[in-house]
């Protein structure tokens, strides 16, 4: 059990960072809260019409997409060709919609995941270790994207700077799962040591 007997409410516009050691339940909690995994007990309720976009640490969130346009249109079918150019350029992979995904380097593929986040027509972004395997330029691009995102954000990270710049609240995880005390972004030093 990660969260025994605890009620959590996430309100529109909140940016909640899940921090703690590996194996403490951060990714599982993200999966349960976003509906990707059923809760063992209790209830998770989403607002009516909630649109959720995910990016996890395991790799590319697209399957079978042949082009950059295919990848971005999976999350937002309203994108024009100029939107694809704008979004990919913002994360350092300027690409037209017809560029084959197979032609992208590993770093460009990771940045394409960032472009996918930026293009998502979502109310809630769920990000699991979003800075994992990113270079400094890509991390800065991600921070810029998240700073301008007007929806709700749940993210698991070990990146202290990302938490300090983006989070409006922090949930700390320890050996017993989620620790119910509240911590503010201004008091992160004890949070990020584990």
């Amino acid at each position: 059990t990660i969260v025994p007997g605890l009620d959590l409410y996430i309100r529109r516009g909140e940016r909640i960072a899940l921090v703690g050691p590996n194996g403490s339940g951060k990714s599982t909690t993200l999966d349960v809260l976003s509906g990707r995994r059923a809760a063992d007990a209790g209830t998770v309720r989403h607002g009516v019409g909630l649109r959720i976009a995910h990016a996890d640490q395991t790799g590319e969130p697209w399957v079978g997409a042949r082009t950059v346009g295919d990848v971005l249109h999976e999350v937002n079918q309203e994108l024009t060709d100029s939107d694809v150019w704008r979004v990919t350029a913002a994360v350092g992979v300027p690409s037209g919609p017809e560029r084959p995904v197979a032609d992208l380097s590993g770093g460009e593929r990771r940045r394409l995941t960032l472009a996918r986040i930026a293009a998502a027509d979502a109310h809630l972004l769920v990000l699991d270790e979003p800075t994992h395997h990113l270079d400094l330029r890509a991390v800065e691009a991600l921070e810029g994207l998240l700073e301008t995102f007007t929806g709700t954000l749940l993210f698991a990270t070990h990146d202290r700077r990302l938490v300090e710049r983006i989070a409006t609240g922090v949930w700390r995880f320890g050996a017993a799962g989620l620790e119910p005390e509240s911590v503010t972004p201004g008091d992160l030093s004890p949070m990020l040591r584990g």
Side-chain angles (χ1 to χ4, degrees), residues 170-172 179-183 191:
V170 177
W171 294 351
R172 181 179 182 180
E179 298 171 358
E181 73 271 3
S182 177
V183 179
M191 299 287 302

Side-chain angles (χ1 to χ4, degrees), residues 62-79:
W62 59 85
V63 177
R66 293 182 36 229
T67 67
V68 168
D70 292 342
V71 169
L72 298 182
H73 286 117
E74 284 180 359
V75 295
N76 188 340
Q77 295 181 0
E78 304 298 318
L79 292 176

